[in-house]
Amino acid sequence: MGLCSRRPTRVPLLNKRRRQLCLQWAREHRDWTMNEWKRVAWSDESRFLIHHVDGRVRVRRLTGEQLLPSCTECHTQADGGGIMLWGTFSWATLGPVVEETRKAAIYMNIIADQLHPYMVFVFPTGNGIFQQDNAQCHKARIVLEWFEEYTDEFHLMSWPPNSTRRSLIRWSTFGMSWRGSSELKHHHVRIYRLCLTAA
């Protein structure tokens, strides 16, 4: 019949209010020019696993093949660990990639020590716009107060809750080739080194 066992596709939970906010955001930005979009520095975080793969892994094998290398999955104690990375990029250049936790105090250090110099360098006239998702640590009072303090240097873009956008850090580091390959290669090396230090 052609039916196969599949895991359900994960999609953001969008209730009526969230759908309205996403639609409102899209309408507010639909007429932006390319030059306006070039002023945005995008950010995101992604978890990179060192050894273990999240979720169920399946293999197709015949009886007696369970110990073939292609039919086994190696593991280490405590699943081998992983690392959460935060990164930013804009039209002009790739930005910093740093280790992150979901704590507001750590995120404050990241935006003060990594994001701020990047925004000042890339948008020296103070017309830059910074995008971040609605993670709890991004919406903490101390973080929002910090952004208020620096509004003369760059602005914070409003972002709809549970946005359906894909992981931006994965796009910027592993998928986008709109800039020179040497810059992307350097970015890959930085992520690889961060992962190795976390292992």
Side-chain angles (χ1 to χ4, degrees):
M1 292 182 46
L3 296 177
C4 298
S5 170
R6 300 275 190 256
R7 281 184 274 165
T9 303
R10 291 174 52 104
V11 296
L13 175 63
L14 290 176
N15 58 28
K16 184 176 180 180
R17 175 72 180 137
R18 288 175 177 167
R19 283 195 302 273
Q20 289 171 341
L21 290 171
C22 287
L23 183 59
Q24 176 187 342
W25 187 93
R27 286 178 175 154
E28 288 171 1
H29 295 86
R30 72 177 163 201
D31 294 325
W32 272 31
T33 65
M34 181 62 79
N35 285 334
E36 287 173 300
W37 287 114
K38 286 180 180 181
R39 292 172 37 213
V40 179
W42 303 93
S43 73
D44 201 7
E45 54 282 321
S46 281
R47 183 168 175 239
F48 293 86
L49 298 170
I50 308 302
H51 298 289
H52 181 71
V53 177
D54 277 342
R56 283 181 17 192
V57 176
R58 300 180 197 163
V59 296
R60 303 252 185 231
R61 63 176 177 81
L62 299 173
T63 304
E65 292 183 339
Q66 65 267 25
L67 293 179
L68 289 177
S70 61
C71 298
T72 61
E73 178 185 12
C74 296
H75 67 88
T76 60
Q77 285 185 324
D79 295 330
I83 185 172
M84 177 71 82
L85 297 179
W86 173 92
T88 187
F89 66 96
S90 66
W91 179 268
T93 186
L94 296 170
V97 175
V98 294
E99 188 173 355
E100 184 204 39
T101 64
R102 294 288 184 152
K103 294 187 176 9
I106 301 293
Y107 188 64
M108 266 295 302
N109 291 336
I110 291 171
I111 60 175
D113 299 340
Q114 303 290 330
L115 175 67
H116 183 243
Y118 174 79
M119 294 297 287
V120 170
F121 174 75
V122 176
F123 307 104
T125 60
N127 69 341
I129 302 168
F130 176 65
Q131 176 276 336
Q132 64 178 0
D133 62 24
N134 294 303
Q136 215 169 8
C137 63
H138 300 171
K139 293 296 185 180
R141 185 178 47 81
I142 60 169
V143 171
L144 295 178
E145 286 173 356
W146 186 93
F147 281 115
E148 285 279 324
E149 186 179 332
Y150 288 92
T151 53
D152 57 333
E153 296 182 38
F154 60 92
H155 303 282
L156 186 61
M157 175 182 266
S158 65
W159 196 248
N162 276 24
S163 170
T164 57
R165 56 101 177 103
R166 303 260 183 184
S167 174
L168 295 170
I169 188 173
R170 289 176 194 253
W171 280 12
S172 69
T173 57
F174 295 110
M176 298 183 97
S177 56
W178 45 267
R179 292 287 172 221
S181 61
S182 62
E183 187 175 2
L184 280 173
K185 192 179 294 182
H186 175 68
H187 222 52
H188 291 186
V189 168
R190 284 171 32 197
I191 289 175
Y192 178 71
R193 287 183 181 152
L194 283 168
C195 289
L196 283 180
T197 59

